[in-house]
Amino acid sequence: MISRIFFKNSILRVIAIVIFLCGTAVAAESVDSSMTFRDVTDETGITFRHFDGSSGNYYLIESVASGLALFDYDNDGDTDIYFLNGAAMKGTKYKVPPRNALYRNDGNFKFTDVTKQSGLGDTGFGLGVTVGDIDNDGDLDLYLNNYGPNVLFSNNGDGTFTDITKKAGVGNGDYVGAGACFLDMDKDGDLDLYVSRYVIFSYEKHIQGNIGGFPTYTFPTIYPFSSDSLYRNNGDGTFTDVSKASGIAKQQNSGMGVICADYDNDGDTDIFVANDLMEDYLLRNDGKGNFEQVGLMSGIAYDLRGKGLASMGVDCADYDNDGLLDFYVTSYSDESAILHRNIGDGLFEDATFAAGAGSGTYNSVTWGTGFVDFDNDGDRDIFVATGDIRPSFDRTYAARNEVLMNTGDGKFVNITERCGDGLKVKRSSRGANFADLDNDGDIDVVILNSRERPTILRNDSVNNNHWIQIRLKGVKTNRNAVGARVKVVCGDLVQIDEVHSGRSYQGHHGFTLHFGLGGHKKVDRIEVSWIGGGVDTVTDIEPDKSITIVEGVGIEK
Amino acid sequence: MKKSFFILVLMLAAVILCTAIIIFRPAKPLDNSSLPFEGTAQQQAAGFLQEQLSETIEQLLKDFPGDEEITQLAARFHNQLNRPYKAMALLEQGLKYHPKSFNLCNMMGDTAFKKGEYDKAVTYWTRALKITPREIKLHEKIADALILSGEYNEAATRLEVKIKLLSPSGRSYYLLGQAYFQLKEYEKAKQSYQKAKEFNPENIKIDLGLGRVYVRLKKPEKAKYFMDLYRAHKDDEIHQAQTGKATIFFDTSLVDLNASSQTLSKLCVEAYRRYESEKKPNAASQILRKCEDIFQKTIEIVPKNSNLCHDLAFLYIAIGSKADGDNVAKAVAALQRAIELNPESSYYKELLDGLKNKEKK
């Protein structure tokens, strides 16, 4: 009898265990990763290698290099890649000085090095870059925010560029550069320029740190800070430094990533500056190009605990589709990257923990980032480029990048493990920017790795979701519609986005806006609010294609 | 024939000689002459000591697997050196042997929290609280971790109960303010921060909390007042750093060195006692000699570090004069050296006087 009960119980026990295991497996599968990234770097023909100028002396500047830009330099309809490079610091010698590199997209993930013929092989110490059409002539110009003199390259429209820094007056002295953005701050139809600066570095003040038995870089706060710069476009190829008049020069900060966006939906472009080890700045525009720093009052300056994070990169988008732009800021190790949820009235809350948006970002330094709808399901996921600045006992210099999937209910799940071989690559990444490199309707990733070759990730996600890509052409307003707001309506799915120049970690991408539409087979309405105030609406658009909307005209035929 | 016999004998002799050399060779002394660490003498000493201590810990945990005291000391050492994963692995091992150890659970919670693993921290602190319910501060730690996990309601409930039934404190009220703020219950958040301020008027984080609450309550002037207080403090921190007045740990080697030295001393005493209680006098002597040797080698690298001499003296004092020679005399010598290096320390002098008196008696 006893043995029978025992036997019976054993069977019941086994059944229970099997049911439990099945249940666990089902539960684990219920959050479905629908993203796959393949590392296609070796197939692209890209041979660029990044140098940080290091000599073993641990000069701070080395650790923060560099960003990259994704833009269509030759107006042929696909996105090209521009990598920044470092330069020799004291004690380092290179036989051939490192230089920036431009790769032309030839389609099908094949790229050709066109640096020499384009004239973009700058050999300054490249830290930040942004892109915009400063003269509204229909091609994209480039601004480099270097350690040392900055450079403005004007696009000649034939695949070559000319250095017009001196004439334009935007050399910005001999500072340590960081992020930069073009924006139309005064809504006059041309692009002005915001230039962030990191610290006032000097070899005399340099100290090599040592933490836990490992040599390391010292804190940026041992160096003095300076104020960022703002240049007004005069419309004649020259710029005027309006840093003081605009209120920008009131603050002195340790700027890194920058993004310009209309966070308060008042129709003008504001500026967010990610600062290293101090409060982040939110510079509110009064609509005329005068700025007030409202980071603290808006709730975006610090994390929930009041800590000024070592902020690095930044992106903004409406991750919860409530019509307000939210911000995601990357930071140092042993602190989470932070999600600032826009709650309206110009206020933000730290939603990192409630949304699970810090997952996987605590153990390494985080850099480039983007709100991107990788699986075209109608909400923005998050990509985070990671990499330490030094090896230590528990960590290595190289690290794995992270992907957080938006579950559609205001939360994120870290799905890095299930994203394919592309997310198994371990490097010390810095810049990360996003574009549909093969024009197949999903967004791919380009990552600049410190001291290494870059990583190119092809988005191979398989799903039945629809999408639409929108390019804007300003007529009265600036040519690439920087600052314009787009609303895409598909039934009950309403999404917004904005055209930004300069984002992520001191880099640029995104003149083509990409919207995942989920299962929606038609776009009911697209509304474009141009930065000058006009609104264009187009209706009933077939999905799964790229369209261009011209200001005052509608869809370009 | 003779020739090949001679060669065979020669070969045999060579084999015997080699075997004898291998068997009877003296124990390899610790060698710090070719340190793998670059940097200043202090950084080298810290590196050397850390490496030796790590090896000693491994050895002791093999001899005394799961030992609570040794595990704690080892985990603390790894935590001090910012090696939380190593610390967590040791604690996990220790908890297999001592599942009801408050200290191990508590330390595990602390370490997990430090690494941003808030769920794990809550689990282990809750376990510690079950073992020792009188440790009411654990409620605050758990609430803090709950807030950082986005579990604001649970945190608020726990803190309300703790404040009403156990004991109110500034930290409890501050955390309650944080939880209510995230729950958008701004009046309650304000009241909690105000209570916290009564306990800790100097805590500037409460000022930030109040500033944030007043923003949400649409009282901009009050908000600005508190925000300005917070910003002034933060600006001052940066100014102190930029003018070289702040203590920035850009070089932790001295802190690391001192922490490692203290751990080595305590660990050696614990190990010595255990070997003795297990009637293994040779092993006890060996560990003492090994630690002595590590101390001496480290002192050779940084001869002016008085802490090392003090920790060596502590080791001798704690073990006392037993079969291992005159440890009291050795302790006196080490303390005298510490006093030579740091004549200002009244603590060293008192310790030395006490030791001499004990010796006389």
Side-chain angles (χ1 to χ4, degrees):
Chain A
M1 178 70 183
I2 291 168
S3 66
R4 202 187 297 163
I5 291 169
F6 179 78
F7 179 70
K8 208 174 169 184
N9 280 351
S10 298
I11 290 173
L12 285 174
R13 224 174 281 155
V14 170
I15 291 169
I17 289 168
V18 169
I19 290 170
F20 172 77
L21 290 175
C22 290
T24 312
V26 169
E29 282 302 305
S30 66
V31 180
D32 181 34
S33 154
S34 46
M35 294 174 217
T36 307
F37 296 92
R38 232 194 103 216
D39 177 8
V40 294
T41 315
D42 289 342
E43 300 157 30
T44 57
I46 292 173
T47 55
F48 172 79
R49 187 187 162 87
H50 179 260
F51 294 90
D52 64 0
S54 55
S55 60
N57 289 314
Y58 289 84
Y59 297 123
L60 183 63
I61 314 302
E62 306 155 8
S63 66
V64 295
S66 308
L68 72 119
L70 300 182
F71 70 112
D72 184 5
Y73 88 99
D74 51 1
N75 263 334
D76 66 350
D78 53 30
T79 303
D80 311 294
I81 307 175
Y82 186 65
F83 295 108
L84 297 188
N85 216 333
M89 297 291 287
K90 201 173 167 181
T92 308
K93 274 183 187 163
Y94 294 112
K95 277 184 189 166
V96 180
R99 59 174 194 177
N100 301 344
L102 177 67
Y103 282 89
R104 186 185 65 216
N105 189 340
D106 296 332
N108 290 322
F109 274 93
K110 301 290 177 206
F111 292 82
T112 302
D113 187 342
V114 292
T115 311
K116 202 171 176 188
Q117 53 267 50
S118 69
L120 284 182
D122 188 65
T123 54
F125 198 114
L127 289 164
V129 56
T130 194
V131 175
D133 185 355
I134 57 162
D135 45 8
N136 288 331
D137 64 350
D139 51 41
L140 291 169
D141 312 298
L142 199 76
Y143 185 75
L144 306 183
N145 199 357
N146 288 338
Y147 166 37
N150 294 349
V151 187
L152 178 61
F153 284 108
S154 171
N155 191 331
N156 302 322
D158 57 359
T160 66
F161 289 79
T162 303
D163 180 347
I164 59 161
T165 318
K166 204 169 175 189
K167 185 196 164 202
V170 290
N172 204 243
D174 196 13
Y175 293 96
V176 179
C181 287
F182 286 112
L183 73 159
D184 185 1
M185 64 179 180
D186 44 9
K187 296 184 271 188
D188 65 350
D190 56 31
L191 289 177
D192 311 298
L193 175 63
Y194 187 88
V195 183
S196 187
R197 292 175 184 160
Y198 188 37
V199 296
I200 302 179
F201 173 81
S202 66
Y203 285 106
E204 292 71 38
K205 283 211 90 174
H206 164 71
I207 300 169
Q208 182 182 315
N210 187 290
I211 294 174
F214 289 85
T216 188
Y217 298 94
T218 189
F219 291 89
T221 42
I222 71 158
Y223 299 104
F225 299 162
S226 65
S227 51
D228 292 348
S229 300
L230 183 64
Y231 294 95
R232 173 171 284 138
N233 191 332
N234 300 322
D236 58 358
T238 67
F239 288 77
T240 302
D241 186 339
V242 292
S243 311
K244 274 189 186 163
S246 63
I248 296 298
K250 274 186 196 166
Q251 297 82 216
Q252 296 191 326
N253 55 307
S254 49
M256 297 201 89
V258 186
I259 194 162
C260 296
D262 182 9
Y263 79 96
D264 51 1
N265 286 351
D266 66 350
D268 56 41
T269 305
D270 312 290
I271 305 166
F272 177 92
V273 186
N275 288 317
D276 195 357
L277 279 179
M278 62 175 291
E279 63 176 296
D280 289 333
Y281 284 171
L282 186 59
L283 298 155
R284 188 174 61 200
N285 190 346
D286 70 353
K288 294 170 189 163
N290 302 306
F291 292 85
E292 186 188 0
Q293 207 287 89
V294 297
L296 197 48
M297 294 297 269
S298 69
I300 208 168
Y302 299 107
D303 72 357
L304 175 63
R305 312 180 102 199
K307 192 175 174 193
L309 301 180
S311 302
M312 303 288 184
V314 56
D315 198 19
C316 77
D318 179 12
Y319 82 91
D320 51 359
N321 289 338
D322 65 352
L324 300 162
L325 292 175
D326 312 292
F327 289 74
Y328 191 75
V329 185
T330 53
S331 58
Y332 202 64
S333 53
D334 292 337
E335 51 191 34
S336 281
I338 186 166
L339 174 64
H340 294 288
R341 181 171 170 262
N342 193 331
I343 57 171
D345 291 333
L347 300 176
F348 292 85
E349 67 176 8
D350 180 346
T352 315
F353 304 110
S359 173
T361 65
Y362 199 88
N363 283 324
S364 192
V365 185
T366 52
W367 304 87
T369 189
F371 275 117
V372 182
D373 187 356
F374 288 115
D375 51 0
N376 286 335
D377 65 348
D379 51 42
R380 308 279 167 158
D381 312 296
I382 299 174
F383 188 96
V384 182
T386 74
D388 224 307
I389 58 170
R390 64 188 174 96
S392 61
F393 184 84
D394 267 353
R395 290 195 292 260
T396 53
Y397 185 62
R400 184 188 77 172
N401 297 321
E402 304 286 335
V403 177
L404 305 176
M405 184 177 74
N406 191 331
T407 54
D409 57 354
K411 291 198 163 69
F412 293 88
V413 175
N414 191 317
I415 57 159
T416 310
E417 286 286 350
R418 293 175 284 146
C419 278
D421 69 350
L423 268 297
K424 291 190 169 51
V425 177
K426 283 190 175 181
R427 302 274 187 277
S428 192
S429 302
R430 296 292 185 270
N433 293 81
F434 312 90
D436 184 0
L437 294 175
D438 51 356
N439 292 331
D440 67 346
D442 55 34
I443 299 292
D444 312 293
V445 187
V446 182
I447 303 153
L448 184 143
N449 300 313
S450 174
R451 304 179 190 171
E452 288 256 17
R453 288 181 62 209
T455 307
I456 318 294
L457 301 181
R458 188 176 70 203
N459 187 342
D460 280 351
S461 305
V462 178
N463 55 58
N464 294 317
N465 293 332
H466 299 282
W467 53 274
I468 189 153
Q469 289 175 352
I470 303 165
R471 288 188 193 207
L472 301 179
K473 200 183 270 183
V475 176
K476 288 181 198 161
T477 64
N478 72 83
R479 184 65 174 255
N480 288 83
V482 173
R485 175 72 64 94
V486 174
K487 186 195 268 188
V488 172
V489 182
C490 297
D492 57 355
L493 177 64
V494 181
Q495 299 179 75
I496 62 157
D497 202 357
E498 216 175 76
V499 182
H500 306 295
S501 153
R503 68 205 303 183
S504 186
Y505 181 66
Q506 302 180 175
H508 167 83
H509 68 267
F511 280 162
T512 300
L513 302 180
H514 179 97
F515 294 87
L517 305 175
H520 294 274
K521 291 177 181 162
K522 191 186 77 174
V523 179
D524 299 327
R525 196 170 76 247
I526 299 173
E527 279 175 26
V528 182
S529 305
W530 305 90
I531 192 70
V535 177
D536 283 313
T537 304
V538 294
T539 55
D540 295 328
I541 305 114
E542 293 293 315
D544 305 326
K545 64 182 181 184
S546 187
I547 60 169
T548 301
I549 298 176
V550 182
E551 185 181 7
V553 176
I555 295 176
E556 192 175 55
K557 301 290 178 202
Chain B
M1 181 68 185
K2 262 187 184 177
K3 197 179 174 184
S4 42
F5 178 74
F6 179 70
I7 291 169
L8 196 68
V9 168
L10 210 65
M11 279 171 71
L12 259 172
V15 169
I16 290 164
L17 190 70
C18 288
T19 315
I21 288 170
I22 290 167
I23 292 170
F24 298 109
R25 70 179 170 177
K28 193 186 164 193
L30 290 172
D31 179 16
N32 64 9
S33 60
S34 56
L35 290 165
F37 311 103
E38 292 173 2
T40 63
Q42 189 169 276
Q43 288 165 356
Q44 287 186 25
F48 173 72
L49 191 51
Q50 282 161 32
E51 195 176 272
Q52 294 300 321
L53 189 49
S54 296
E55 272 179 27
T56 310
I57 287 169
E58 299 267 317
Q59 182 206 320
L60 292 177
L61 285 173
K62 264 184 203 158
D63 288 357
F64 307 105
D67 183 284
E68 195 178 349
E69 283 291 319
I70 292 173
T71 302
Q72 268 189 71
L73 280 168
R76 195 168 297 137
F77 160 71
H78 286 300
N79 266 332
Q80 274 164 342
L81 295 179
N82 200 20
R83 303 169 176 180
Y85 291 119
K86 186 82 184 161
M88 283 202 272
L90 291 179
L91 290 166
E92 217 152 81
Q93 190 66 19
L95 277 163
K96 280 183 190 159
Y97 290 87
H98 306 279
K100 294 203 168 174
S101 163
F102 170 82
N103 286 334
L104 296 184
C105 284
N106 188 28
M107 203 183 269
M108 187 70 152
D110 290 349
T111 312
F113 186 84
K114 195 178 163 193
K115 280 316 291 173
E117 296 184 17
Y118 303 120
D119 292 348
K120 197 172 191 176
V122 169
T123 304
Y124 280 94
W125 281 332
T126 307
R127 209 166 131 181
L129 195 59
K130 274 182 190 158
I131 299 162
T132 314
R134 68 173 186 280
E135 285 290 332
I136 54 174
K137 282 196 172 173
L138 280 174
H139 287 288
E140 288 167 349
K141 285 185 176 183
I142 293 168
D144 200 359
L146 285 170
I147 291 169
L148 295 176
S149 308
E151 305 288 346
Y152 309 121
N153 262 318
E154 208 181 324
T157 309
R158 180 178 283 271
L159 289 162
E160 288 282 16
V161 169
K162 191 246 168 191
I163 287 167
K164 276 182 193 141
L165 302 180
L166 298 167
S167 89
S169 72
R171 183 164 157 72
S172 291
Y173 278 117
Y174 169 72
L175 291 169
L176 189 60
Q178 296 281 81
Y180 280 137
F181 181 78
Q182 289 299 92
L183 288 167
K184 299 187 173 58
E185 295 196 40
Y186 300 127
E187 269 305 327
K188 282 184 178 174
K190 184 184 81 178
Q191 285 163 15
S192 304
Y193 286 134
Q194 282 170 338
K195 280 276 186 192
K197 192 91 180 147
E198 286 171 22
F199 282 87
N200 301 320
E202 303 297 318
N203 187 334
I204 52 129
K205 280 194 174 178
I206 305 170
D207 292 332
L208 178 66
L210 280 167
R212 283 170 167 171
V213 161
Y214 281 121
V215 169
R216 302 288 173 90
L217 291 170
K218 300 198 187 304
K219 292 187 175 168
E221 279 179 19
K222 281 192 170 178
K224 190 174 179 310
Y225 169 78
F226 285 107
M227 295 289 200
D228 284 348
L229 285 178
Y230 191 73
R231 177 178 278 143
H233 177 87
K234 290 301 228 185
D235 286 350
D236 190 50
E237 271 181 8
I238 292 170
H239 179 72
Q240 298 281 325
Q242 287 174 331
T243 52
K245 289 175 190 156
T247 316
I248 301 177
F249 288 123
F250 51 79
D251 184 352
T252 61
S253 57
L254 184 60
V255 178
D256 296 345
L257 182 65
N258 291 341
S260 305
S261 161
Q262 199 178 40
T263 308
L264 179 66
S265 185
K266 286 181 179 170
L267 202 63
C268 185
V269 173
E270 290 295 332
Y272 188 93
R273 286 175 183 157
R274 270 157 190 69
Y275 284 125
E276 274 213 318
S277 69
E278 288 187 3
K279 311 274 183 232
K280 290 178 180 170
N282 286 344
S285 280
Q286 264 177 23
I287 190 71
L288 178 59
R289 294 288 90 82
K290 185 181 177 180
C291 293
E292 263 184 321
D293 204 18
I294 296 171
F295 267 116
Q296 294 299 354
K297 299 289 181 207
T298 315
I299 289 167
E300 275 174 31
I301 308 168
V302 274
K304 292 190 175 170
N305 184 310
S306 62
N307 263 318
L308 285 166
C309 300
H310 163 264
D311 292 337
L312 180 59
F314 170 85
L315 168 64
Y316 291 132
I317 294 166
I319 285 172
S321 284
K322 296 191 178 173
D324 282 301
D326 191 356
N327 288 327
V328 176
K330 286 180 184 172
V332 168
L335 273 177
Q336 278 169 340
R337 178 68 185 143
I339 291 166
E340 271 174 43
L341 294 169
N342 186 2
E344 305 294 311
S345 170
S346 55
Y347 167 68
Y348 290 166
K349 283 174 192 161
E350 280 168 26
L351 206 61
L352 184 62
D353 290 343
L355 202 60
K356 281 181 177 169
N357 288 338
K358 202 175 160 188
E359 213 179 3
K360 275 178 199 168
K361 281 175 192 171

